[in-house]
Amino acid sequence: MMGRFDGKIVLVTGGNRNTGLDIVEKFVREGAKVYMCGSSDASTAKGVEALKIRSAAWGQSAQPVVSQTCDISDIAQVTALFDTIERESGRLDILVNNAANQGIGHGGPLEMDAARFHDVFNVNVIGGFQVTQMACNRFFMKQESRGVVVFLSSNTAMRAIRHRTAYCASKGAINSMVRALALDLAPLGIRVNACAPGYIYTERWDVLDPAKVARRRLNCPLRKEAKGSDIANVVAFLASEDSANMAGEIVTCDAGCSCQHMPEDVDV
Ligand SMILES: NC(=O)c1ccc[n+]([C@@H]2O[C@H](COP(=O)([O-])OP(=O)(O)OC[C@H]3O[C@@H](n4cnc5c(N)ncnc54)[C@H](OP(=O)(O)O)[C@@H]3O)[C@@H](O)[C@H]2O)c1
């Protein structure tokens, strides 16, 4: 059976766990060869193991996935990852900037350490930029078919969540950067768009008090958080020819949260 991404070479940053892993799975199942990275050897190796288990379940070898540790805020590691892609595949068709520093546990804006603010921006904004720049210069601009970039933003770029100043600010910066990149790169044949998720079920939900899970679901007009596969579907759409006339768009996928002023039980 033909897949939408047959023969395509894809890079998913932070593809070793949670949503990133679902995005990797989506592209592999639709025919692509995927490069993925975690920020450390241990987390990347864990992703490889998780993929082996998944690929057994979907009845396909995990062979089209290549993993390499890459801290995207470190230009030397980004260069090494692109060296591998060039040596092995000689091209890149799709870049998914999924990796993120969540900036959890930094406290409120009055007490947070400015160095941690830098850490979040170094990964989410500068890291995303330098991976994109390298993808364009080393591959997309040299290929007749050019390439596609999809960023993972967040609905918190538009509606803030508490005690996550750096993270919310970084996602706002990503939205602006996506529009700016799209403006400059669209005339060159490179499309840049973003998916902005709301709640996604990740391993962090496994340890939540069930009352908190229920409360979160009540916050959603659709009464459910996204599965990683829901987000992967939007990312795949933005990476595919189905979105061939879209550039600089931020596609929200948040169970309707952004269209609501207040959750139902406090809407008095
Ligand atoms: N979860 C949500 O509810 C939610 C909501 C809105 C938007 N999003 C966005 O959706 C994307 C995926 O979210 P998620 O919750 O699945 O993410 P996550 O569980 O926090 O995982 C983050 C991923 O990014 C990688 N990463 C972190 N710092 C990195 C660095 N310096 N270099 C390379 N990789 C790095 C992590 O690798 P390690 O394993 O090595 O740490 C991990 O694979 C993110 O962009 C996130 O901001 C998530």
Side-chain angles (χ1 to χ4, degrees):
M1 206 174 72
M2 289 282 288
R4 254 190 307 182
F5 302 108
D6 278 350
K8 299 286 185 193
I9 309 295
V10 181
L11 168 59
V12 182
T13 64
N16 58 310
R17 61 185 168 102
N18 290 330
T19 316
L21 194 59
D22 289 313
I23 295 169
V24 170
E25 176 174 343
K26 178 77 182 165
F27 281 107
V28 171
R29 291 179 76 144
E30 295 207 31
K33 175 176 180 181
V34 183
Y35 287 82
M36 63 101 154
C37 70
S39 66
S40 70
D41 289 344
S43 66
T44 306
K46 225 172 138 184
V48 172
E49 283 312 305
L51 267 169
K52 272 191 201 150
I53 294 166
R54 285 187 180 206
S55 60
W58 82 63
Q60 193 182 344
S61 138
Q63 219 176 353
V65 180
V66 178
S67 65
Q68 180 167 324
T69 304
C70 175
D71 176 344
I72 61 160
S73 65
D74 178 346
I75 193 70
Q77 292 186 40
V78 175
T79 303
L81 175 60
F82 277 76
D83 287 346
T84 300
I85 299 173
E86 184 153 21
R87 196 174 54 247
E88 286 186 358
S89 297
R91 62 181 293 113
L92 183 69
D93 300 292
I94 296 162
L95 165 64
V96 182
N97 285 308
N98 165 79
N101 179 327
Q102 296 281 347
I104 294 172
H106 292 183
L110 300 182
E111 62 270 11
M112 81 174 290
D113 179 354
R116 301 187 79 180
F117 203 111
H118 280 276
D119 290 343
V120 171
F121 265 65
N122 280 341
V123 176
N124 300 5
V125 184
I126 316 284
F129 173 73
Q130 62 192 14
V131 174
T132 304
Q133 187 185 48
M134 206 173 287
C136 291
N137 284 330
R138 286 189 66 166
F139 295 112
F140 298 166
M141 288 307 294
K142 295 179 180 160
Q143 297 166 191
E144 205 181 327
S145 60
R146 295 298 201 249
V148 183
V149 183
V150 183
F151 276 84
L152 271 293
S153 178
S154 168
N155 65 355
T156 63
M158 296 160 282
R159 288 161 198 269
I161 47 175
R162 289 176 180 79
H163 289 169
R164 301 277 292 280
T165 304
Y167 177 78
C168 295
S170 76
K171 293 298 182 175
I174 284 175
N175 285 4
S176 298
M177 183 162 70
V178 162
R179 287 186 284 264
L181 287 170
L183 195 64
D184 286 333
L185 297 175
L188 304 175
I190 299 167
R191 295 192 302 112
V192 184
N193 290 290
C195 169
Y199 291 120
I200 310 170
Y201 195 101
T202 64
E203 64 204 5
R204 290 184 291 279
W205 284 54
D206 292 342
V207 293
L208 283 179
D209 179 343
K212 194 162 190 176
V213 172
R215 186 65 188 81
R216 285 187 178 188
R217 288 181 177 150
L218 185 62
N219 285 346
C220 302
L222 283 176
R223 297 287 183 260
K224 58 184 177 190
E225 71 283 7
K227 300 190 287 295
S229 57
D230 294 319
I231 304 306
N233 287 339
V234 177
V235 169
F237 164 71
L238 291 173
S240 76
E241 280 300 298
D242 294 338
S243 60
N245 200 37
M246 291 171 68
E249 276 303 321
I250 319 292
V251 179
T252 302
C253 179
D254 72 350
C257 286
S258 294
C259 70
Q260 125 184 299
H261 186 204
M262 282 187 246
E264 196 169 286
D265 60 336
V266 289
D267 205 1
V268 289

